[in-house]
Each structure stands twice: as structure tokens, then as C-alpha cells.
Amino acid sequence: MVIIGAGPAGLVLGNLLLRRGIDCVVLERTGRDAGGKRARAGFLAAHTVRILARNGLDGGLRRRGREHSVCEFRTEDGRFRLDYRRLGRSEPHTVYPQHELVADLQEQFLVAGGRLHFDTEALAVTDADGPAPSVTAREADGRPRRWRARYVAACDGRHGAGRRSIPPGTVRRHHRDHGVTWLGLLAEAPPSMDAVGYALHPNGFAGHMARSAEITRYYLQCARGTRADAWTEERIWDELALRMRAADYGPLRRGPLLQRTVVDLESDVLEPLRHGSLFLVGDAAGLISPSAAKGANLAVLEAEVLAHALTDALAHGDPEPLDRYSERCLVHIWRAQEFSHWMVRLLHDASDTEGTSLFQERLRHSRLASLRTSSTQQDWFAENYVGI
């Protein structure tokens, strides 16, 4: 088995296969320390935590993860809070930065004897429609190398070699550009509130998500085409304070900005998640907007489903679970996409997502009012906010 990509999807898959005695190799285009330095998403759903726990992959998570269950909405009509752990059938998130999870999974894979080739860029997957696919890669010294296997798992994202290698017309791509752009910010500053903050303001959306006691993730809606370095730090902090209504609810705890990224909110899904012996996992299978923190959670779920299916095929001669891999995962992917789309429409002015429409804006206000006052709506939100 060749696994392309050493993010959560690839490393969970690799660890699970290794524990089942299935030979695999992981190819990662970046260096050994790169994955441990990328400050990515940090909210793990309860189901994700259970997957990691039952496979013995939750050591760091148990020591350093923190349960979290409160989100706060700030609008022109005031603010309201939801403790989603106490609503419906929901459970809390666990805050554990993705780069720490990747470092844990990487270490466990290597300690167990796994083969992980860093600085090795997969260029193409060939012969995936036959019984012996191969992966052409470029190693750190620039030399080409070809890896052959019975199956290949593309865990290398939407622009990776896995997707690029699928012949045109073989799979169908569903795509939506939500017309919204966020400036993603990582601040060396303690959290300014004890909740995930969603601020809706005439100037645009602003978000607050704690990563640790010293690091906070912020999002700031900006115009499409804005460069990551276009705004000064002072302007960014002033705009965050304005949109989050710091004058009413308390000042933001400021600090230097460690990282800036521009995120165009898009969603896409490929169907099926397979081409012959090539399987798509994580962002290679489908991209989801960050508005509902589903990406890493879907990646872990898909990796476990594929690991079980590969075990049945390779160890027990039963290919049926592999044949159902795409169908099983797409059920979860589309449910997550629907909720993510609902969140995008909730958090942004209708002119951003649907074109200028007073009718659409009134619908948005009604959604917020229902979320504030309706226990039924709150239960639905809680179940979908954490569930995958």
C-alpha cells in the first residue's frame, strides 16, 4: 500500500494498517518538521476522539487536549451563547491543534517501524485501473523513484498527485464557490473569551477560536483578492475589535500575528472516491469550507473506514467493503457539506453568498432568531455542529 501525504488522513491510515500487519509506505513532500509547525484546525469531534482512542492513537490528545462546548454569537441585536454539550444528543469538541496531532501520529508510525519518506513529492499515479498501480515520485536529492503497490491512497489534498492522476470524465466533481474570503490569522495572544466566537457585523464576519493558552486563531472577512499582507497589524486588531464589539463585551487580548493566510471559502466533492486501485481520502476526496470545522474530522473517519476495508480485502480476501468505501463516506461528507453551507449563509451577508437580496437577508435574520430562541433549532445545531 502506498499512501501519499502525511497529514491526519495519511498518518491515521498508515498507523491502522501497520497495526493490522499490512505493509505500507507513506510519501510526504515536506520535511520531517514541517507538519509539526503548521498551525491548522484544532477542533476534534467526539467521534474523532473515539476513533483515535480505540486505535491507541490518543496519547498526546489525552494529555494536552481540552474539552470545549460553548460558542457565542455577536450580532447587532446583542449576543447569545450556546453550550452545545447540553443540547440534544450532542457532545463537546476537544481542542487539540492539528499540527500537534500530526506530530503524535508521525512519531507513533515511526516508532512502530513504519516507512515514512519525507521530502518525497509524489508526481503521478499510473495504472490505477489495473491490479498493480504505481506512484512516480521525486526524492529529496531530485532523483526519480517509482513505488508499486496493490492499492494507493491519495491523502495529499485537492491539488495533489492523486486527484491530478484521475483521468478526465472518470469521476464527477461537485463544486461551489461561496463568494466569501477570510483572512486567517494566528496570534501569539491568549484567548479573549471562553467560547468560539462568531461575530456578525455590517463590515463583515469575524471569528475567534482558541488554540492554546497562548495562541488564538482569528478570522476576518475581507474582499476577494485581498493579499495576506495588505493590512497592518494595527488595522487588523482594530477591525477585529470593531466587528467583535469589544467596546460592549470586553477588549481583545492582542499580540503579534504569527501567520496570515487568505482563504476563499469553497466546497467540492468528488464522486466516486475511487478510481480502480486509487482511493481518495481527506481533502483529496472533498474540500469543505472551514466554517464548521469538519475537514480533519472527516479525514480521520474516512481513514478508519478505508483501513477496515483494506484489511478485509488484503487479509481476508473480501473486496466488498472496498467497493462500498465511497458510498459509506459520501453519506458523511454530504451531511457535513450541508451543515457547512448552512453556516456560511448564517455568518455572512446575503450579498456575499447569494447576490444582493433583501429577501435573503431577512431569511438570515430569521435563522439567527430561531437559533437564539428555539430549543428545537438549538438541538439541531448542536447535533450537526459536532457530529460527522
Side-chain angles (χ1 to χ4, degrees):
M1 178 80 191
V2 175
I3 300 170
I4 308 173
L11 288 171
V12 168
L13 178 60
N15 273 289
L16 267 56
L17 293 178
L18 209 60
R19 288 164 183 258
R20 290 162 171 78
I22 296 175
D23 184 37
C24 62
V25 61
V26 179
L27 310 181
E28 169 55 39
R29 66 179 179 83
T30 64
R32 177 166 185 168
D33 296 330
K37 295 179 179 178
R38 293 194 295 256
R40 303 286 298 276
F43 284 81
L44 299 181
H47 186 69
T48 302
V49 173
R50 283 192 286 272
I51 291 174
L52 297 172
R54 66 174 168 249
N55 291 289
L57 302 174
D58 64 334
L61 178 69
R62 283 188 285 105
R63 291 191 299 271
R64 300 187 298 275
R66 297 175 292 108
E67 283 195 354
H68 193 281
S69 64
V70 180
C71 57
E72 178 173 302
F73 292 85
R74 297 180 178 182
T75 75
E76 62 270 27
D77 297 321
R79 64 174 173 172
F80 64 95
R81 294 163 69 90
L82 298 177
D83 185 343
Y84 47 87
R85 174 175 47 191
R86 304 181 185 280
L87 296 169
R89 297 177 294 169
S90 187
E91 300 173 276
H93 278 115
T94 297
V95 179
Y96 193 59
Q98 182 173 311
H99 65 282
E100 294 190 31
L101 175 63
V102 166
D104 294 345
L105 295 170
Q106 173 182 296
E107 183 66 20
Q108 288 181 268
F109 186 72
L110 293 172
V111 168
R115 294 182 291 159
L116 206 173
H117 291 255
F118 296 101
D119 296 307
T120 301
E121 182 181 7
L123 302 175
V125 181
T126 55
D127 300 321
D129 52 355
S134 62
V135 177
T136 302
R138 180 170 52 232
E139 298 190 321
D141 59 5
R143 291 184 301 174
R145 183 169 181 179
R146 176 167 291 184
W147 300 83
R148 296 186 184 277
R150 179 64 187 87
Y151 297 105
V152 176
C155 308
D156 53 344
R158 66 186 299 210
H159 300 300
R163 270 203 184 193
R164 293 198 309 267
S165 300
I166 297 176
T170 305
V171 300
R172 182 177 181 181
R173 182 192 182 208
H174 307 275
H175 176 262
R176 179 174 178 82
D177 184 338
H178 296 284
V180 175
T181 298
W182 287 357
L183 182 60
L185 306 159
L186 199 70
E188 189 176 5
S192 297
M193 53 196 297
D194 63 349
V196 176
Y198 297 108
L200 285 64
H201 189 276
N203 285 14
F205 166 76
H208 165 285
M209 292 86 176
R211 285 292 178 264
S212 70
E214 301 83 23
I215 302 294
T216 306
R217 168 72 76 185
Y218 286 95
Y219 289 108
L220 192 64
Q221 186 180 350
C222 57
R224 180 62 58 92
T226 299
R227 299 190 323 273
D229 61 352
W231 292 16
T232 65
E233 286 201 13
E234 182 179 12
R235 181 185 176 189
I236 287 171
W237 282 112
D238 288 348
E239 192 64 23
L240 283 168
L242 175 67
R243 298 188 193 184
M244 299 199 73
R245 296 174 170 84
D248 297 324
Y249 306 123
L252 301 183
R253 304 172 75 175
R254 302 189 178 196
L257 299 178
L258 305 176
Q259 183 186 84
R260 306 182 187 197
T261 55
V262 174
V263 182
D264 294 331
L265 268 60
E266 297 179 86
S267 300
D268 74 354
V269 181
L270 265 59
E271 290 186 308
L273 306 179
R274 175 183 186 178
H275 171 63
S277 299
L278 171 63
F279 294 84
L280 306 177
V281 192
D283 285 352
L287 179 71
I288 192 165
S289 82
S291 58
K294 302 292 187 186
N297 294 292
L298 284 170
V300 172
L301 180 147
E302 292 158 16
E304 187 188 47
V305 171
L306 183 56
H308 285 308
L310 287 166
T311 302
D312 286 335
L314 294 171
H316 308 300
D318 180 8
E320 193 270 341
L322 269 184
D323 294 337
R324 295 185 56 238
Y325 165 75
S326 181
E327 176 187 353
R328 288 189 62 190
C329 290
L330 284 168
V331 170
H332 299 284
I333 289 172
W334 280 115
R335 179 176 176 182
Q337 289 283 4
E338 194 281 327
F339 182 71
S340 175
H341 182 67
W342 183 88
M343 284 289 290
V344 170
R345 289 181 295 158
L346 181 78
L347 299 176
H348 302 92
D349 185 273
S351 61
D352 299 315
T353 60
E354 305 285 351
T356 303
S357 168
L358 182 60
F359 183 83
Q360 292 291 344
E361 185 58 20
R362 290 290 187 266
L363 289 179
R364 176 169 170 259
H365 279 280
S366 179
R367 291 187 195 107
L368 282 165
S370 294
L371 192 57
R372 181 195 297 263
T373 61
S374 168
S375 60
T376 300
Q377 185 73 3
Q378 291 170 0
D379 288 346
W380 176 88
F381 171 84
E383 181 179 346
N384 285 274
Y385 191 60
V386 180
I388 52 171

